[in-house]
Amino acid sequence: MANRSDTKTRILDAAEKLFAERGFSETSLRLITSKAEVNLASVNYHFGSKKELIRAVLARYLDVFMPAASAELVKLSSQSKQASLETIFSALVRPLLDLNKVRVEGTRIFLQLLGRGYIESQGHLRWFITTHYGEHLDRFVQVVSQSAPHIPPAEMFWRLHFTLGTVVFTMASSDALMEIAEADFKEQNDIESVIRKVIPYMAAGVAVPVNQA
Protein backbone atom coordinates (compact mmCIF):
# COMPACT_ATOMS: atom_id res chain seq x y z
CA MET A 1 0.00 0.00 0.00
CA ALA A 2 2.86 2.37 0.86
CA ASN A 3 4.49 1.70 -2.53
CA ARG A 4 1.22 2.41 -4.35
CA SER A 5 0.81 5.68 -2.46
CA ASP A 6 4.42 6.66 -3.18
CA THR A 7 3.99 5.89 -6.88
CA LYS A 8 0.81 7.95 -7.08
CA THR A 9 2.50 10.90 -5.34
CA ARG A 10 5.51 10.71 -7.67
CA ILE A 11 3.21 10.81 -10.67
CA LEU A 12 1.28 13.81 -9.28
CA ASP A 13 4.49 15.68 -8.41
CA ALA A 14 6.02 15.09 -11.84
CA ALA A 15 2.80 15.96 -13.68
CA GLU A 16 2.30 19.11 -11.63
CA LYS A 17 5.75 20.45 -12.45
CA LEU A 18 5.53 19.63 -16.14
CA PHE A 19 1.98 20.96 -16.52
CA ALA A 20 2.97 24.25 -14.87
CA GLU A 21 6.08 24.63 -17.02
CA ARG A 22 4.90 23.30 -20.38
CA GLY A 23 1.12 23.38 -20.25
CA PHE A 24 -1.38 20.53 -20.35
CA SER A 25 -1.45 20.05 -24.10
CA GLU A 26 2.33 20.00 -24.53
CA THR A 27 2.94 17.51 -21.72
CA SER A 28 2.64 13.88 -22.77
CA LEU A 29 2.04 10.95 -20.46
CA ARG A 30 5.34 9.52 -21.68
CA LEU A 31 7.14 12.64 -20.47
CA ILE A 32 5.39 12.41 -17.09
CA THR A 33 6.20 8.74 -16.63
CA SER A 34 9.83 9.39 -17.55
CA LYS A 35 10.16 12.16 -14.97
CA ALA A 36 8.30 10.18 -12.30
CA GLU A 37 10.31 7.04 -13.17
CA VAL A 38 7.21 4.87 -13.46
CA ASN A 39 5.62 2.98 -16.33
CA LEU A 40 2.53 4.00 -18.26
CA ALA A 41 0.52 1.24 -16.65
CA SER A 42 0.98 2.98 -13.28
CA VAL A 43 -0.65 6.16 -14.61
CA ASN A 44 -3.53 4.20 -16.07
CA TYR A 45 -3.95 2.26 -12.83
CA HIS A 46 -4.01 5.30 -10.54
CA PHE A 47 -5.77 7.84 -12.79
CA GLY A 48 -7.19 6.14 -15.85
CA SER A 49 -6.53 8.98 -18.29
CA LYS A 50 -4.61 12.20 -18.79
CA LYS A 51 -7.74 14.26 -18.10
CA GLU A 52 -8.22 12.54 -14.76
CA LEU A 53 -4.57 13.16 -13.93
CA ILE A 54 -4.94 16.87 -14.71
CA ARG A 55 -7.97 17.06 -12.42
CA ALA A 56 -6.14 15.21 -9.64
CA VAL A 57 -3.21 17.62 -9.85
CA LEU A 58 -5.51 20.62 -9.45
CA ALA A 59 -7.64 18.92 -6.81
CA ARG A 60 -4.67 18.79 -4.44
CA TYR A 61 -4.88 22.59 -4.29
CA LEU A 62 -8.59 23.16 -4.83
CA ASP A 63 -9.52 20.77 -1.99
CA VAL A 64 -7.56 23.03 0.35
CA PHE A 65 -8.18 26.46 -1.16
CA MET A 66 -11.90 26.35 -1.96
CA PRO A 67 -13.24 25.46 1.52
CA ALA A 68 -10.81 27.88 3.20
CA ALA A 69 -11.73 30.73 0.85
CA SER A 70 -15.42 29.96 1.28
CA ALA A 71 -15.06 30.03 5.07
CA GLU A 72 -13.46 33.47 4.85
CA LEU A 73 -16.36 34.74 2.73
CA VAL A 74 -18.91 33.32 5.18
CA LYS A 75 -17.12 35.10 8.00
CA LEU A 76 -17.07 38.31 5.99
CA SER A 77 -20.79 38.07 5.19
CA SER A 78 -21.60 37.64 8.87
CA GLN A 79 -19.77 40.88 9.63
CA SER A 80 -21.14 42.92 6.73
CA LYS A 81 -23.91 42.36 4.19
CA GLN A 82 -22.10 44.51 1.64
CA ALA A 83 -18.32 44.39 2.16
CA SER A 84 -16.17 46.34 -0.27
CA LEU A 85 -14.66 44.51 -3.22
CA GLU A 86 -11.17 45.20 -1.91
CA THR A 87 -12.13 43.58 1.38
CA ILE A 88 -13.62 40.58 -0.42
CA PHE A 89 -10.57 40.01 -2.62
CA SER A 90 -8.26 40.57 0.33
CA ALA A 91 -10.08 37.85 2.28
CA LEU A 92 -8.86 35.33 -0.31
CA VAL A 93 -5.17 36.19 0.10
CA ARG A 94 -4.49 34.11 3.20
CA PRO A 95 -6.15 30.93 1.84
CA LEU A 96 -4.14 31.44 -1.34
CA LEU A 97 -0.85 31.88 0.52
CA ASP A 98 -1.61 28.86 2.70
CA LEU A 99 -1.17 26.72 -0.41
CA ASN A 100 2.55 27.10 0.24
CA LYS A 101 1.96 24.65 3.07
CA VAL A 102 0.62 22.10 0.59
CA ARG A 103 3.72 22.30 -1.57
CA VAL A 104 6.82 24.48 -1.70
CA GLU A 105 5.77 27.53 -3.76
CA GLY A 106 2.27 26.08 -3.85
CA THR A 107 0.61 29.47 -4.40
CA ARG A 108 2.65 30.17 -7.51
CA ILE A 109 2.23 26.63 -8.86
CA PHE A 110 -1.54 26.63 -8.31
CA LEU A 111 -1.99 29.93 -10.13
CA GLN A 112 0.26 28.76 -12.97
CA LEU A 113 -1.84 25.61 -13.33
CA LEU A 114 -5.03 27.65 -13.20
CA GLY A 115 -3.59 29.91 -15.87
CA ARG A 116 -2.76 26.95 -18.08
CA GLY A 117 -6.34 25.73 -17.84
CA TYR A 118 -7.61 29.23 -18.54
CA ILE A 119 -5.37 29.83 -21.58
CA GLU A 120 -5.59 26.35 -23.10
CA SER A 121 -9.40 26.17 -22.84
CA GLN A 122 -9.50 22.87 -20.98
CA GLY A 123 -13.28 22.44 -21.08
CA HIS A 124 -13.23 19.37 -18.86
CA LEU A 125 -11.59 21.45 -16.12
CA ARG A 126 -14.47 23.92 -16.13
CA TRP A 127 -16.86 20.98 -15.75
CA PHE A 128 -14.73 19.49 -12.98
CA ILE A 129 -14.42 22.74 -11.01
CA THR A 130 -18.09 23.74 -11.31
CA THR A 131 -19.24 20.21 -10.46
CA HIS A 132 -16.98 19.66 -7.45
CA TYR A 133 -16.60 23.20 -6.14
CA GLY A 134 -19.75 24.89 -7.43
CA GLU A 135 -21.04 25.76 -3.97
CA HIS A 136 -17.88 27.71 -3.18
CA LEU A 137 -17.87 29.46 -6.55
CA ASP A 138 -21.53 30.44 -6.15
CA ARG A 139 -20.78 31.92 -2.74
CA PHE A 140 -17.97 34.03 -4.18
CA VAL A 141 -20.13 35.34 -7.04
CA GLN A 142 -22.96 36.08 -4.61
CA VAL A 143 -20.76 38.06 -2.22
CA VAL A 144 -19.16 40.02 -5.07
CA SER A 145 -22.56 40.72 -6.65
CA GLN A 146 -23.89 42.02 -3.32
CA SER A 147 -20.96 44.40 -3.17
CA ALA A 148 -21.63 45.68 -6.69
CA PRO A 149 -25.42 45.41 -7.19
CA HIS A 150 -25.27 47.94 -10.05
CA ILE A 151 -23.48 45.40 -12.26
CA PRO A 152 -25.86 43.10 -14.23
CA PRO A 153 -25.18 39.34 -13.98
CA ALA A 154 -23.99 39.01 -17.60
CA GLU A 155 -21.57 41.90 -17.16
CA MET A 156 -20.36 40.45 -13.85
CA PHE A 157 -19.60 37.19 -15.65
CA TRP A 158 -17.25 39.03 -18.00
CA ARG A 159 -15.65 41.13 -15.32
CA LEU A 160 -14.87 38.17 -13.09
CA HIS A 161 -13.23 36.40 -16.01
CA PHE A 162 -11.23 39.55 -16.77
CA THR A 163 -10.24 39.54 -13.11
CA LEU A 164 -9.08 35.93 -13.31
CA GLY A 165 -7.12 36.76 -16.44
CA THR A 166 -5.42 39.64 -14.63
CA VAL A 167 -4.37 37.38 -11.76
CA VAL A 168 -3.12 34.68 -14.13
CA PHE A 169 -1.04 37.11 -16.20
CA THR A 170 0.37 38.85 -13.15
CA MET A 171 1.40 35.59 -11.48
CA ALA A 172 2.84 34.16 -14.69
CA SER A 173 5.01 37.29 -14.99
CA SER A 174 5.62 37.79 -11.26
CA ASP A 175 9.34 36.96 -11.28
CA ALA A 176 10.06 39.38 -14.13
CA LEU A 177 7.82 42.07 -12.61
CA MET A 178 9.56 41.84 -9.24
CA GLU A 179 12.98 42.08 -10.90
CA ILE A 180 11.94 45.17 -12.89
CA ALA A 181 10.41 46.82 -9.80
CA GLU A 182 13.62 46.21 -7.87
CA ALA A 183 15.90 47.48 -10.66
CA ASP A 184 13.82 50.54 -11.63
CA PHE A 185 12.17 51.54 -8.35
CA LYS A 186 14.25 49.83 -5.64
CA GLU A 187 11.15 47.90 -4.53
CA GLN A 188 11.45 44.62 -2.67
CA ASN A 189 8.45 42.39 -3.32
CA ASP A 190 7.31 38.83 -2.73
CA ILE A 191 4.29 36.88 -3.95
CA GLU A 192 2.04 38.29 -1.22
CA SER A 193 2.93 41.90 -1.97
CA VAL A 194 2.34 41.35 -5.70
CA ILE A 195 -1.08 39.84 -5.01
CA ARG A 196 -2.00 42.72 -2.72
CA LYS A 197 -0.87 45.25 -5.34
CA VAL A 198 -3.28 43.89 -7.92
CA ILE A 199 -6.33 43.83 -5.61
CA PRO A 200 -7.25 47.58 -5.82
CA TYR A 201 -6.94 47.41 -9.61
CA MET A 202 -9.26 44.38 -9.83
CA ALA A 203 -11.76 45.84 -7.38
CA ALA A 204 -11.97 49.09 -9.35
CA GLY A 205 -12.39 47.21 -12.63
CA VAL A 206 -15.23 45.03 -11.34
CA ALA A 207 -17.12 47.96 -9.80
CA VAL A 208 -16.84 50.59 -12.55
CA PRO A 209 -20.37 51.58 -13.73
CA VAL A 210 -21.63 50.03 -16.95
CA ASN A 211 -21.48 52.41 -19.92
CA GLN A 212 -25.07 52.84 -21.07
CA ALA A 213 -24.12 54.58 -24.34
Side-chain angles (χ1 to χ4, degrees), residues 138-177:
D138 290 345
R139 178 169 290 116
F140 172 71
V141 173
Q142 179 183 18
V143 172
V144 170
S145 298
Q146 287 174 345
S147 180
H150 58 291
I151 306 299
E155 183 68 20
M156 183 61 77
F157 161 82
W158 286 107
R159 294 189 182 192
L160 289 180
H161 278 78
F162 297 154
T163 298
L164 176 60
T166 299
V167 172
V168 166
F169 172 80
T170 300
M171 296 310 299
S173 312
S174 60
D175 287 340
L177 292 170

Side-chain angles (χ1 to χ4, degrees), residues 46-135:
H46 288 290
F47 302 101
S49 69
K50 183 178 176 182
K51 285 184 178 180
E52 290 294 339
L53 176 57
I54 291 172
R55 295 168 192 168
V57 165
L58 273 167
R60 289 207 289 185
Y61 293 98
L62 291 168
D63 286 349
V64 175
F65 174 71
M66 286 298 201
S70 194
E72 289 296 324
L73 295 177
V74 169
K75 185 191 304 180
L76 199 60
S77 295
S78 69
Q79 297 169 350
S80 172
K81 291 299 181 184
Q82 194 174 13
S84 71
L85 287 173
E86 282 198 42
T87 301
I88 294 168
F89 291 145
S90 295
L92 304 182
V93 173
R94 182 49 51 194
L96 199 54
L97 294 175
D98 281 346
L99 294 178
N100 289 324
K101 299 175 184 176
V102 176
R103 301 274 290 150
V104 175
E105 299 211 341
T107 301
R108 186 195 304 272
I109 294 170
F110 170 64
L111 289 171
Q112 286 176 335
L113 291 169
L114 203 60
R116 290 294 185 182
Y118 186 75
I119 293 168
E120 296 179 25
S121 300
Q122 296 283 321
H124 68 99
L125 276 184
R126 174 177 171 78
W127 171 86
F128 172 71
I129 292 172
T130 55
T131 299
H132 289 79
Y133 309 99
E135 178 185 351

Side-chain angles (χ1 to χ4, degrees), residues 29-56:
L29 288 180
R30 187 174 300 277
L31 193 59
I32 293 169
T33 56
S34 175
K35 186 174 184 61
E37 298 181 339
V38 300
N39 56 42
L40 185 59
S42 296
V43 177
N44 292 330
Y45 173 78
H46 288 290
F47 302 101
S49 69
K50 183 178 176 182
K51 285 184 178 180
E52 290 294 339
L53 176 57
I54 291 172
R55 295 168 192 168

